[in-house]
Amino acid sequence: MTARIRFEPDGIETSVPVGTTIRDAAEGAGAQLGSACGGVCACSTCHVYIKEGGEDVSPLQDNEEDKLDGAFDVRPNSRLGCQSELLKDRLYVVEISRESRQAFLDEHPAARPKV
């Protein structure tokens, strides 16, 4: 089974096997999602907002909730991309938070827009 995911605000869309994390889907698609800890739930740089499909993502665990407490602009649909597995064959729409996009640019300076 295949999950489809669209990353906002860029509109990057990809298909991945069900069970893939949002972080891994973003990395494979070239979406600008931060990942300072490499996806082990040790930071909040992969903070996203799940706009569609949140009910079909793996449940929020205590360790993820603890890390989200340190994130900026946390909303009811906030999740960490490294902890959020796509569980169904459907379209998910995910907005990458500003802090996550900035973390990505800090991690990948060559991706910064030229001035």
Side-chain angles (χ1 to χ4, degrees):
M1 292 196 309
T2 304
R4 296 172 329 281
I5 184 167
R6 184 172 63 239
F7 293 97
E8 300 294 337
D10 299 316
I12 296 170
E13 196 165 322
T14 191
S15 295
V16 295
V18 166
T20 301
T21 65
I22 291 172
R23 177 200 170 273
D24 290 345
E27 187 175 286
Q32 294 185 345
L33 181 72
S35 183
C37 74
V40 296
C41 199
C43 68
S44 62
T45 58
C46 62
H47 178 205
V48 298
Y49 307 110
I50 302 178
K51 296 171 79 175
E52 291 181 33
E55 66 277 8
D56 293 325
V57 172
S58 57
L60 180 72
Q61 301 295 316
D62 289 343
N63 59 341
E64 179 184 0
E65 194 167 13
D66 290 345
K67 291 301 174 196
L68 279 171
D69 284 344
F72 294 100
D73 194 19
V74 175
R75 303 173 188 172
N77 61 340
S78 286
R79 292 294 305 267
L80 296 182
C82 71
Q83 299 300 299
S84 304
E85 292 181 6
L86 309 172
L87 300 178
K88 295 211 174 161
D89 180 356
R90 63 161 298 161
L91 173 66
Y92 296 85
V93 178
V94 174
E95 179 184 348
I96 300 172
S97 71
R98 287 179 51 143
E99 76 175 307
S100 183
R101 291 177 73 82
Q102 185 59 54
F104 177 89
L105 294 173
D106 291 346
E107 296 163 23
H108 304 91
R112 292 183 185 143
K114 306 293 183 237
V115 184

